Amino acid sequence: MLERSYEKYFRQNRLPHLWCPGCGNGTAMKSIVQAIETKNLDQDKTIIVSGIGCSSRASGYMNFDTLHTAHGRAIPFATGIKLANPELNVVVITGDGDCTAIGGNHFIHGARRNVDLTVIMFNNHIYGMTGGQASPMTPLHKKATTAPYGTVDRPFDACHLAEAAGATYVARSTAFHVKHLSDMIAAGFDNKGFSFIEAVVQCPTAFGRKNKMGDAPDMMKWMRDTAVMKAAWDKLPEDKREGKFPIGLFYQADFLEYTTAYQEVIDVAGGAK
Ligand code: SF4
Ligand code: MG
């Protein structure tokens, strides 16, 4: 049962959701609305855009103006919305496959342009909806239906990728660290530019089962035990980092935002009026 204050953020007639029991996507979705509530964003001026995949079903459950777009294309749709009306808060929900494979080019170019979007990538380390194929975020040697002996492809570090491409806010958290995840998203809303937040979520069905990681509570314990807060991570010797990953704020910078830059062009060209 949802706390009353959050009911307004969800389409009650679309619930209960279709995610598997124990899936982390619902936790990440709730963290987004908690961040929206914390920052007091106007519900009528906040747009949720998603691509395709388990994560991207969230836009169907959230009571905002929403777009469920084509696979990998959430960021260009969101860019169009933001350019048409820069007043809007535009939030993108995407998965690891949607964001870093099919939409990989859109991801890096959205970051390069520093479009004022808040992109939240639910990273379950696999293509969950389509049957558990390896994604660019599947860790080395982990199993997938397309890698029954373990993948030999090195995964991306999506946060490094976002930073290198030009994002001006980059953070990571997990579905175990609920308050922290919500705080990372809320701080992303404050950034006037491309904000990227990786939300590590458990997928007990496609990823956990395939890799004998146990059920949802076991996977959440795995997140608890392997995620290290950034400040502690920075002090961790290299040989102690194996099998662990950092969470927290990784990068923040001020840079000219895309719709602001574009408005300058419109003004120079004689204005849109
Ligand atoms: Fe969640 Fe995985 Fe089930 Fe998709 S397949 S709904 S990510 S548990
Ligand atoms: Mg995925």
Side-chain angles (χ1 to χ4, degrees):
M1 194 69 179
L2 287 165
E3 294 104 294
R4 185 167 293 280
S5 61
Y6 294 114
E7 279 180 7
K8 66 179 180 182
Y9 294 118
F10 296 102
R11 294 173 179 149
Q12 301 301 323
N13 62 347
R14 296 293 302 275
L15 296 173
H17 58 70
L18 290 178
W19 289 316
C20 305
C23 176
N25 288 343
T27 309
M29 179 174 72
K30 171 88 180 293
S31 294
I32 294 170
V33 300
Q34 282 176 319
I36 288 170
E37 173 103 345
T38 301
K39 290 296 169 185
N40 205 19
L41 299 190
D42 184 339
Q43 196 168 349
D44 290 331
K45 291 191 173 164
T46 302
I47 315 294
I48 311 287
V49 186
S50 68
I52 295 291
C54 290
S55 61
S56 295
R57 293 196 66 86
S59 62
Y61 302 133
M62 298 175 78
N63 191 23
F64 296 82
D65 285 330
T66 60
L67 268 91
H68 193 181
T69 72
H71 209 179
R73 315 300 175 216
I75 289 172
F77 273 86
T79 300
I81 294 165
K82 189 73 189 176
L83 278 168
N85 187 351
E87 305 271 291
L88 298 173
N89 311 305
V90 184
V91 179
V92 172
I93 298 177
T94 177
D96 48 301
D98 191 63
C99 183
T100 65
I102 302 96
N105 253 334
H106 298 307
F107 172 41
I108 59 174
H109 290 287
R112 175 175 71 89
R113 294 180 176 126
N114 197 32
V115 191
D116 185 22
L117 308 174
T118 305
V119 178
I120 301 136
M121 185 187 82
F122 293 11
N123 176 18
N124 64 0
H125 301 105
I126 207 152
Y127 287 96
M129 181 178 273
T130 50
Q133 297 86 352
S135 85
M137 298 298 296
T138 304
L140 195 62
H141 305 317
K142 288 288 184 186
K143 291 181 177 156
T145 50
T146 48
Y149 304 105
T151 178
V152 293
D153 298 16
R154 280 193 302 168
F156 278 137
D157 181 322
C159 289
H160 281 164
L161 190 58
E163 179 184 336
T168 44
Y169 176 93
V170 180
R172 180 190 291 130
S173 191
T174 86
F176 176 81
H177 304 80
V178 182
K179 171 75 167 58
H180 181 258
L181 174 57
S182 177
D183 290 346
M184 292 294 102
I185 297 167
F189 289 147
D190 285 341
N191 177 49
K192 177 90 175 138
F194 193 94
S195 300
F196 178 75
I197 301 101
E198 178 183 344
V200 178
V201 293
Q202 75 276 12
C203 168
T205 306
F207 185 66
R209 192 176 294 160
K210 180 88 29 207
N211 287 287
K212 298 190 168 44
M213 295 177 80
D215 53 18
D218 294 320
M219 292 193 75
M220 294 189 80
K221 283 183 203 156
W222 165 71
M223 288 184 231
R224 176 196 67 189
D225 296 339
T226 55
V228 180
M229 290 290 171
K230 174 78 167 59
W233 176 265
D234 289 342
K235 293 187 193 130
L236 205 62
E238 201 70 42
D239 61 335
K240 297 266 186 330
R241 292 182 174 184
E242 181 69 29
K244 298 186 184 296
F245 62 92
I247 58 172
L249 172 63
F250 299 139
Y251 183 72
Q252 195 159 21
D254 278 330
F255 194 77
L256 182 62
E257 190 275 323
Y258 192 66
T259 55
T260 307
Y262 206 79
Q263 187 58 50
E264 288 171 12
V265 174
I266 292 170
D267 292 342
V268 169
K273 299 172 199 76

